[in-house]
Amino acid sequence: MPIREQQRLDPVEREGIIAREAVSFFAEHGFEGQTRELAKRLQITQPLLYRYFPSKDALIERVYQEVFVGRWRPSWEKIITDRSVPLEARLIQFYREYAEVILTYEWIRLFMFAGLKNLGLNARYLKMLRERAFEKLVEEIRLEYGRPSIRDLPITVLEIEMVWGLHAAIFYLGVRKFIYSMPLETDVNSIIDAKVATFLSGIHTVLPAKETV
Amino acid sequence: MPIREQQRLDPVEREGIIAREAVSFFAEHGFEGQTRELAKRLQITQPLLYRYFPSKDALIERVYQEVFVGRWRPSWEKIITDRSVPLEARLIQFYREYAEVILTYEWIRLFMFAGLKNLGLNARYLKMLRERAFEKLVEEIRLEYGRPSIRDLPITVLEIEMVWGLHAAIFYLGVRKFIYSMPLETDVNSIIDAKVATFLSGIHTVLPAKETV
DNA sequence: ATTATTATTTATCGATTGATCAACAAAGAG
DNA sequence: CTCTTTGTTGATCAATCGATAAATAATAAT
């Protein structure tokens, strides 16, 4: 008898449920996934989606917000700049926590779907990542090695490229797992630790000269 | 007057033209791109596509062949194993040539579209890459450092993971450029040279012990 | 208990999409 | 020049998709 009664939910709750399921749904099928199929997964009818979101694009925009904005942790910026902790430990902690968020089925696939569709979303996100993480990170490295601040001597292409390399190594783990469907045979954290170590031992070669006066 | 006469081409030629344009078209729009739009780019009518390919999926399958099978160069395997050339030079030459092929708009995007759609294509391709390149590469490194052959001592997860890291760094350049639409500020070859150097200087730490009796 | 509000469903529209079939036209065979 | 072959097009089908409007039913208000 109690198979399933019709649900009549509070609008805020319903909207949240739809948004959450949309994240999972579009991550799986891409943004060309059909609203009817999404509705079926939600056990509601398709027109009801349009009661809560004016269009499919609006729903997709909400998915972006939910994942790429909503999952950013401001505490990460503090981790990087907390000079009471050794630099390597800071990097490891940051990348471990960051990896925990982006190395998920939803994050990786949605980011790639968004890129292929191309609105400026990815470039915009990565610009933010550069400002909030990459640049702070290089500044800390400069300080560690007794080099001038990035305020006095702008970040070089090579420095940023080294950071990109580290970022790529981690991100690609997610690509292998969630896009290529290849099981990872290794512990992610240990890879991160190793990559951070190699990164730090290699970066001094591209740092600007010590004396610049 | 000579605006455009109706073309009546030889079937083999027409099929080739369609296949080539399909590569470009699906790389841009993904596999959900419409056959009518593809036909318009070819300046033919949409039903003509079905004279040469029984279905859209068959055309897509042809695109896979064209790009992922057709662009592989057997000479790459020779480059890696040519012991008359120093190891680092071999790696640099291989990765420069390989990058020249895969770091293109069509290759990168089609590979990603295929991954997200997921047939086993990507895993299959990467399995081939592992066998034809990665494993040979590790074997050469083992030899260079006086370690046992991979026939005697199987490749370790860490060794492969190091190669993945190098691969990721290069592949990600293409992702940034062709999926995120971010202009690369650096010369690709110089990045490859640097990555290969870092790779080689780091790999000995994960190589198996010298004495294994 | 009756009414008002609104969350949800049913029915449907208009546009799009992969695919099919008969008609047309360009080239070669005789 | 006529006939045959076949590359190409025009017309159209059936299914699918985002979106809209009216009908229904659950909850709150009086």
Side-chain angles (χ1 to χ4, degrees):
Chain A
M1 222 93 72
I3 301 182
R4 179 157 293 275
E5 294 298 317
Q6 175 178 313
Q7 290 272 34
R8 187 187 160 99
L9 298 183
D10 182 272
V12 259
E13 191 182 352
R14 177 68 81 190
E15 184 180 317
I17 293 177
I18 292 177
R20 213 176 322 128
E21 190 69 32
V23 167
S24 159
F25 178 77
F26 287 123
E28 186 176 345
H29 296 95
F31 299 121
E32 327 231 0
Q34 308 156 10
T35 55
R36 278 174 177 79
E37 202 180 334
L38 169 60
K40 186 182 287 182
R41 275 170 58 152
L42 282 158
Q43 293 183 316
I44 60 176
T45 56
Q46 180 242 9
L48 189 58
L49 296 172
Y50 290 85
R51 174 86 178 193
Y52 294 93
F53 298 93
S55 69
K56 186 182 177 181
D57 275 341
L59 179 55
I60 291 173
E61 194 58 41
R62 170 63 175 272
V63 168
Y64 289 150
Q65 286 293 319
E66 204 88 4
V67 175
F68 303 126
V69 180
R71 297 188 184 179
W72 178 269
R73 307 251 172 278
S75 60
W76 290 337
E77 306 173 50
K78 294 191 187 76
I79 293 177
I80 296 173
T81 53
D82 178 8
R83 293 176 185 165
S84 71
V85 177
L87 183 57
E88 182 168 358
R90 278 183 267 163
L91 289 193
I92 287 177
Q93 193 193 346
F94 165 66
Y95 273 109
R96 281 188 173 202
E97 290 193 19
Y98 187 63
E100 202 171 342
V101 166
I102 74 164
L103 257 40
T104 61
Y105 184 86
E106 295 174 348
W107 206 103
I108 292 283
R109 291 178 63 94
L110 285 171
F111 198 70
M112 207 52 86
F113 275 124
L116 289 166
K117 190 174 154 191
N118 200 16
L119 315 132
L121 186 136
N122 307 70
R124 222 187 319 143
Y125 175 86
L126 291 168
K127 183 167 174 286
M128 179 210 71
L129 182 67
R130 177 188 169 128
E131 287 165 3
R132 296 197 194 168
F134 288 6
E135 295 188 356
K136 289 194 170 79
L137 208 140
V138 173
E139 174 75 358
E140 297 301 312
I141 294 171
R142 289 267 190 93
L143 188 86
E144 180 87 0
Y145 287 87
R147 310 300 163 98
S149 162
I150 62 174
R151 287 192 311 269
D152 302 325
L153 192 71
I155 295 186
T156 68
V157 171
L158 282 180
E159 285 171 313
I160 279 292
E161 213 53 46
M162 289 289 294
V163 184
W164 272 120
L166 176 55
H167 184 77
I170 293 169
F171 185 84
Y172 199 70
L173 294 173
V175 173
R176 285 160 61 191
K177 183 168 180 182
F178 301 116
I179 297 183
Y180 304 159
S181 304
M182 302 176 75
L184 298 184
E185 298 172 9
T186 342
D187 173 47
V188 170
N189 279 342
S190 64
I191 294 182
I192 291 177
D193 297 355
K195 292 291 171 190
V196 167
T198 333
F199 168 77
L200 278 175
S201 79
I203 190 137
H204 73 276
T205 63
V206 301
L207 252 24
K210 214 156 185 175
E211 336 283 299
T212 43
V213 181
Chain B
M1 224 91 72
I3 300 182
R4 177 156 294 273
E5 294 298 317
Q6 175 177 312
Q7 292 272 37
R8 187 187 161 97
L9 298 183
D10 182 273
V12 257
E13 191 182 351
R14 176 68 82 191
E15 184 180 318
I17 293 177
I18 291 177
R20 214 176 322 126
E21 190 68 32
V23 167
S24 158
F25 178 78
F26 287 124
E28 185 176 345
H29 297 95
F31 299 120
E32 328 230 0
Q34 309 157 10
T35 54
R36 277 173 179 79
E37 203 180 333
L38 169 59
K40 186 182 288 181
R41 275 171 56 155
L42 283 160
Q43 293 183 316
I44 61 174
T45 55
Q46 181 243 8
L48 190 57
L49 296 173
Y50 289 86
R51 175 85 179 192
Y52 294 92
F53 298 92
S55 69
K56 187 181 176 181
D57 275 341
L59 180 55
I60 291 173
E61 196 57 41
R62 170 64 174 272
V63 168
Y64 289 151
Q65 286 294 319
E66 203 87 5
V67 175
F68 302 126
V69 180
R71 299 190 183 178
W72 178 268
R73 308 251 172 278
S75 60
W76 290 337
E77 305 173 49
K78 294 191 187 75
I79 293 176
I80 296 174
T81 53
D82 177 9
R83 292 176 186 167
S84 72
V85 177
L87 182 58
E88 181 166 358
R90 277 183 266 164
L91 288 193
I92 286 177
Q93 194 193 346
F94 165 66
Y95 272 110
R96 280 189 176 201
E97 290 192 20
Y98 186 63
E100 203 171 340
V101 167
I102 75 164
L103 257 39
T104 61
Y105 184 87
E106 294 174 349
W107 206 102
I108 292 281
R109 291 177 63 94
L110 285 172
F111 198 70
M112 207 52 85
F113 275 125
L116 288 167
K117 189 175 158 191
N118 201 15
L119 315 133
L121 186 134
N122 306 71
R124 224 186 318 144
Y125 175 86
L126 291 168
K127 181 167 175 286
M128 179 211 70
L129 182 68
R130 178 189 168 125
E131 287 165 3
R132 297 197 193 169
F134 289 5
E135 294 188 356
K136 289 194 169 75
L137 208 140
V138 172
E139 174 74 359
E140 297 302 312
I141 294 171
R142 289 267 190 94
L143 188 87
E144 178 87 1
Y145 287 88
R147 309 302 164 98
S149 162
I150 62 176
R151 287 193 311 271
D152 302 324
L153 193 73
I155 296 187
T156 67
V157 172
L158 281 180
E159 285 170 315
I160 278 292
E161 212 54 45
M162 289 288 294
V163 184
W164 272 121
L166 176 55
H167 184 78
I170 293 169
F171 185 83
Y172 199 70
L173 293 172
V175 173
R176 283 160 62 190
K177 184 170 181 182
F178 300 116
I179 297 183
Y180 303 160
S181 304
M182 301 174 76
L184 298 185
E185 299 172 8
T186 342
D187 173 48
V188 170
N189 278 344
S190 64
I191 294 183
I192 291 177
D193 297 356
K195 291 291 172 190
V196 167
T198 332
F199 168 76
L200 279 176
S201 80
I203 189 124
H204 73 275
T205 62
V206 302
L207 252 25
K210 212 157 186 173
E211 334 284 298
T212 40
V213 184

